[in-house]
Every structure is written in structure tokens, then in C-alpha cells.
Amino acid sequence: MTGFMWLVAVTAAIGGFLYGYDTGIISGALLSISAEYQLSHAMQEVVAAAILLGATIGGLCTGAVSERFGRRRTIIAIAAVFTLGATAASLAPDPKLLALARVVLGLAIGASSQSIPAYVAELAPAAQRGRLVVAFSVAIGLGILSASLVGYGLHGVLSWRIMIAVGAVPAAVLFCAMFALPESPRWLVAHERRDEARRALARVRPEGADLDAEIAAVAEAVSRSAEARTRGWRGLTRSWVRPALIAGCGTAAFTQLVGIEMMIYYTPTLLKGVGFGESGALLTNVGIAAIYLVMTGLGLAIVDRVGRRRLSLLTLPGAALSLAALGGLFALGRTGPDDAPFIIGCLFLFMVFQAGGLQVIGWLTGAEIYPLGVRAAGTSAQAATVWGSNLLLTGTALSLIHALGAGGAMLVYAGLNALAFLFVLSFLPELKGRTLEEVEAALREKRFTPRHFAAEPAARPEAATAT
């Protein structure tokens, strides 16, 4: 793998940083916004969840744009919307316009989550595809940590408006940097621009790599998709594609329904509600964000060795037990000063198991599971599922806590972690080390099951040289 390929992945991952920062900043800023406007818990949910409504729409609609205009130009447009949304949100004069501006910001977040992992996956060598795509998740963690540090360190010092406006700076950097990066070779081949595809591929492969063989494999996949008329949204309804749709969108839904985003958005509000001081609640939020970053970084280092499915199955039980213990503490009223270390410990353990497992593979799975002819539509469906689930979770979290108490709500989320384990066990094959063309062939031959993939070698020699 070349240094330039890493540069492509890191540059594109700025979109992940923006995703993390722009969603995470509301955690600290919401305390100041609520105090300024005297927001009810329902209006707090609206302000927090508005960005997720935009993200759902952005994720759903971006596939067609990416397919029509190319991955690179789509990301350039997304960076411009990021800049516009952050600026508009920072200038909003009232909560309603703030929520509307966050919808615009959400459009860019949803669009980036659809297009950036797919763009990197289509450029990456198969043997390193996992860690390169997971760089997007690590950048999300870095964005969340940055937002938490800003919220803790500058709470009461800087206006919440400045906290939000800071997000426009990396968006402008992404906008400028993307002009220097190549287009996806797969998109170019699909649009009959094979010479350009070869030049783009040459920029991200080491000298002496067999570019012609790789381009030929991509062209064959394009030809099969065209002959089978498996393209776009209609292609997702084909019976042989359905296992990928179930596995991809199911995994996407559970990355949110397990409650991790609720922790990121509402931890300070939740902890204040059970007796923590404001400073302690914000500092705990910084710890949660730091663990998210460290564990996604660890996931990046090991996902191509341990495997996607195995990593999730090893960590989900720990996440479920951590939330069950936290729910027990809340339900028993164990929220006094002597119990604070146990509450914080449960929160931190949950983040260790979730951020280091299922969250690592959420965007990666969408980037590598769909056949080329439906990849844009599939990643759009996946992104919309992520953000729709996130919207459902965030838009109901405070109401759920209000109705069931903090203990009851945590037990609900613990149950959802257990369901996520069963889903991965039943529907998600191990994709470690496989080329995108091998995954598509398994779908066509109806071998896309955990049982069939377990019976085959985890990686083949040719997988190291073909994407």
C-alpha cells in the first residue's frame, strides 16, 4: 500500500471528523442553548435530533448524485454544504432556525457517511480495505472528542455559537483538498472511462502492480451488472442482492439502536438529571469521547486481522452487560457520590465494548457488501438506515428516560445490544480479506451466509493484489 493511498483515506476522513464534531458539539452546547432559551426536554430533543433528520435525507438521496457525478465531485459538494450549515447554525437567532440550520448541516453529514466510505473502499487494496475505511470511524471519534473538549474546556468561556462555527474550518480544508485526489476507478470504468480509471488506480498502487488485471476484474463486474440489469434502487430488490441488503441495513440500524449516540448526545444531561454537577457531567463526556477515539483506533489496527463479524461478536455481550449494570444502579437509586465511580465505570465499559466492536464495522460493512451496480443505492439505503435509526433513538431518548426512568431506559438499550449480537451471528458473513468482486460473486452464487464464508479460506493470495 502506498503513502498516497493513506493520504487519500486521511483526507476523505475529514468528512468523518466533521460528522463527529457537528453531531457531538450539541452535547456540551445544549446546556448553554437550553439555559439561554429555557428549552423543555421535548424542544431539546428537537434541537439535538434536527441534524439527524437532515442526515437521513442526505444519506438517502446522495447515492444518485454520486452515481451521476462521481464520488470525488460529490464529496466536494458535501464539503461546501458542511461549511454553509455550520455557519448558518452559529448565526441562528432562535431555536427554530437553529434546528433548521442543523437540518442543513445534517444533509452534509448523511451524504458524507454514504459517499466517503464507498469512495475509499473503491480505491483501497483488498488486504488493507478494512483499516482504510475504518479511518473514517476513527475520524468520527476524533471529531467527537474535539467537540467534548471544546464543550468542557470552553463552557462558560465561549459562546455556543463559536463552538458550532468552528466546524466550518475543517469543512473548508476538505473542500480544497479533494480537488487534488483521484476519482474512483470503479466509477470511471462503469462510465466507460477505462484509461482514466487506470491512471487513477496507478496513483494509489505501488510501482509494478498489475493494474490491467485489476481493471479487467472491475470491468467484468460492471459487465455482469449491466447484463443482469442489476442497477440502482430497483437492483436492490433482486433476490440475490437481498442478503446484502438485510445484512448491511440491519447492521447499520443496530449501530444506532444500541444506544451509543444517545450516550454521546445526552450524557451531560443524563448525569445532571441523576445528581452530577455540571462540570463533572461534562468531564465524564470527555472521557466517553476519548474512549470512543481510542477504541475505534484499536479497531482500525485489528479489523483486517480479527475480522468484522468476529470483532462484533466478541464485544457486544460486554456492551449489553455494562448497560444492564448501569440500569440496575439507576433503578436501585444508587446515584450518590459514593456510587459515581460505578456509574462512570459502566458508561466507560459500554463505550469500550461498543466503540471497539460494532461501531468499527458499521460504515465498513456498507462500503464492501453491495455489488457494484447497486453500490450507490445500497450505501444510500445503509446511510439512511443509520441516520433514521439515530433519529428515532435521539428523538425519543429523553422521553424514554422520562417515562421509564434512567434505569428502565438503560435496560431497554441493554436488550437491544443483545438483539444486535443475535443479528450479527445469524446474518453477517465474515468479509475479511475478500475483494469486492469476490463478495459480489458469493451473492450471485447464493453463498453469502456466515456458514458458507466460514467454510472458505479467510483470505486468498490473489486478494492482496485485487480490489
Side-chain angles (χ1 to χ4, degrees):
M1 184 168 58
T2 65
F4 187 72
M5 184 65 242
W6 268 112
L7 179 63
V8 169
V10 170
T11 301
I14 295 173
F17 176 89
L18 290 164
Y19 161 172
Y21 186 87
D22 289 327
T23 56
I25 195 62
I26 198 64
S27 180
L30 191 59
L31 296 177
S32 298
I33 295 168
S34 299
E36 181 174 331
Y37 293 118
Q38 298 297 304
L39 300 183
S40 66
H41 78 268
M43 193 60 195
Q44 290 180 51
E45 286 178 336
V46 169
V47 171
I51 201 168
L52 306 176
L53 174 61
T56 304
I57 297 169
L60 194 61
C61 298
T62 307
V65 177
S66 176
E67 191 67 20
R68 173 71 176 83
F69 297 102
R71 318 310 194 214
R72 186 176 71 100
R73 282 186 285 183
T74 299
I75 297 171
I76 290 170
I78 289 167
V81 178
F82 264 124
T83 306
L84 174 65
T87 303
S90 69
L91 298 174
D94 59 58
K96 291 181 181 178
L97 288 177
L98 172 60
L100 183 61
R102 281 174 61 78
V103 170
V104 174
L105 194 54
L107 293 173
I109 291 173
S112 68
S113 65
Q114 183 277 334
S115 57
I116 290 175
Y119 170 70
V120 175
E122 291 186 349
L123 280 163
Q128 288 84 31
R129 187 176 63 242
R131 70 188 68 176
L132 289 169
V133 176
V134 170
F136 180 78
S137 296
V138 175
I140 293 171
L142 183 59
I144 292 170
L145 178 59
S146 299
S148 299
L149 288 170
V150 168
Y152 172 70
L154 300 179
H155 180 70
V157 178
L158 289 181
S159 165
W160 60 266
R161 298 180 185 277
I162 296 176
M163 295 180 188
I164 292 175
V166 167
V169 177
V173 173
L174 177 63
F175 178 85
C176 296
M178 283 303 301
F179 284 96
L181 301 188
E183 180 54 87
S184 159
R186 282 179 168 76
W187 183 85
L188 291 168
V189 170
H191 287 76
E192 300 181 354
R193 295 159 63 177
R194 191 176 296 201
D195 289 342
E196 292 177 59
R198 195 182 191 285
R199 290 195 294 270
L201 196 62
R203 296 181 66 186
V204 295
R205 293 291 183 270
E207 187 175 349
D210 191 350
L211 303 181
D212 292 331
E214 190 166 351
I215 291 293
V218 174
E220 183 179 351
V222 170
S223 177
R224 284 200 304 266
S225 295
E227 291 172 3
R229 298 181 181 178
T230 306
R231 302 195 64 82
W233 289 97
R234 182 174 295 181
L236 291 178
T237 66
R238 300 296 295 270
S239 60
W240 66 272
V241 178
R242 198 172 302 134
L245 188 65
I246 292 171
C249 288
T251 302
F254 276 115
T255 61
Q256 307 306 305
L257 296 177
V258 292
I260 191 165
E261 297 294 341
M262 181 274 296
M263 295 296 186
I264 292 169
Y265 299 153
Y266 292 132
T267 288
T269 303
L270 173 66
L271 293 181
K272 276 196 71 179
V274 297
F276 278 59
E278 191 169 276
S279 178
L282 288 170
L283 185 58
T284 301
N285 200 51
V286 172
I288 285 174
I291 292 170
Y292 187 105
L293 175 60
V294 170
M295 294 309 298
T296 51
L298 177 62
L300 178 148
I302 67 175
V303 69
D304 282 321
R305 291 197 293 271
V306 175
R308 290 77 160 133
R309 182 173 185 268
R310 186 181 180 195
L311 189 61
S312 296
L313 293 177
L314 288 173
T315 53
L316 277 167
L321 290 173
S322 300
L323 282 186
L326 181 63
L329 288 170
F330 286 151
L332 295 172
R334 301 289 301 273
T335 58
D338 292 340
D339 301 304
F342 299 104
I343 292 173
I344 294 171
C346 288
L347 284 170
F348 284 2
L349 279 174
F350 169 71
M351 292 302 295
V352 165
F353 288 118
Q354 257 301 326
L358 190 63
Q359 303 305 312
V360 170
I361 72 161
W363 297 117
L364 172 59
T365 300
E368 63 186 8
I369 207 168
Y370 297 106
L372 180 60
V374 299
R375 190 165 298 146
T379 52
S380 282
Q382 182 118 353
T385 301
V386 168
W387 294 112
S389 302
N390 197 340
L391 175 61
L392 174 65
L393 183 83
T394 306
T396 60
L398 295 182
S399 297
L400 185 66
I401 292 169
H402 187 74
L404 301 180
M410 294 306 108
L411 292 175
V412 169
Y413 296 134
L416 288 167
N417 277 265
L419 286 177
F421 175 88
L422 294 175
F423 180 87
V424 172
L425 183 67
S426 302
F427 295 104
L428 184 64
E430 181 54 73
L431 306 181
K432 173 181 79 169
R434 301 183 184 277
T435 70
L436 300 182
E437 287 68 42
E438 285 178 310
V439 173
E440 180 167 342
L443 283 164
R444 290 180 180 278
E445 296 164 11
K446 302 188 185 303
R447 293 183 292 104
F448 191 82
T449 67
R451 179 176 62 84
H452 280 107
F453 272 49
E456 297 176 3
R460 296 184 179 87
E462 64 268 23
T465 59
T467 304

